[in-house]
């Protein structure tokens, strides 16, 4: 039997981004950490909550749009 703590990484140690993180920084994190999805925090909120998930697939396979420059422009809802 295992506990959640043995299987999952604490959110304080997880690779995450905020809604305002530039997409270039998100891409760098994907390369460095070898993840395909990252939890996204809303840094404007007082409490720390994951508000969505950003997926590498969504960013790679969409046409480049200069107006879409932050993680917040590519979100998928976080389903809990």
């Amino acid at each position: 039997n295992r506990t959640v703590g043995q299987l999952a990484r604490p959110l304080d140690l997880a690779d995450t981004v905020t809604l305002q993180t530039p997409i270039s920084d998100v891409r760098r994190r994907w390369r460095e950490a070898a993840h395909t999805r990252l939890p996204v925090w809303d840094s404007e909120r007082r409490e720390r909550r994951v508000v969505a998930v950003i997926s590498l697939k969504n960013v790679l396979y969409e046409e480049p749009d200069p107006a879409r420059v932050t993680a917040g422009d590519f979100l998928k809802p976080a389903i809990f």
Side-chain angles (χ1 to χ4, degrees):
N1 292 338
R2 293 186 179 203
T3 66
V4 172
Q6 292 171 320
L7 298 173
R9 177 180 242 183
L11 282 176
D12 289 341
L13 300 176
D15 295 309
T16 63
V17 295
T18 68
L19 289 170
Q20 296 78 21
T21 302
I23 202 64
S24 59
D25 290 350
V26 175
R27 287 181 175 148
R28 181 182 47 76
R29 287 233 179 119
W30 278 323
R31 281 191 304 270
E32 292 171 356
H35 298 301
T36 59
R37 291 176 209 87
L38 292 171
V40 180
W41 300 100
D42 183 353
S43 61
E44 302 290 320
R45 290 181 154 187
R46 183 178 173 152
E47 73 278 354
R48 215 172 151 198
R49 284 183 122 44
V50 173
V51 294
V53 175
I54 186 167
S55 171
L56 175 64
K57 179 178 75 170
N58 293 344
V59 175
L60 287 179
Y61 294 112
E62 290 194 22
E63 290 294 318
D65 180 354
R68 298 178 82 181
V69 295
T70 67
D73 298 322
F74 292 92
L75 298 181
K76 295 292 181 187
I79 300 173
F80 299 101

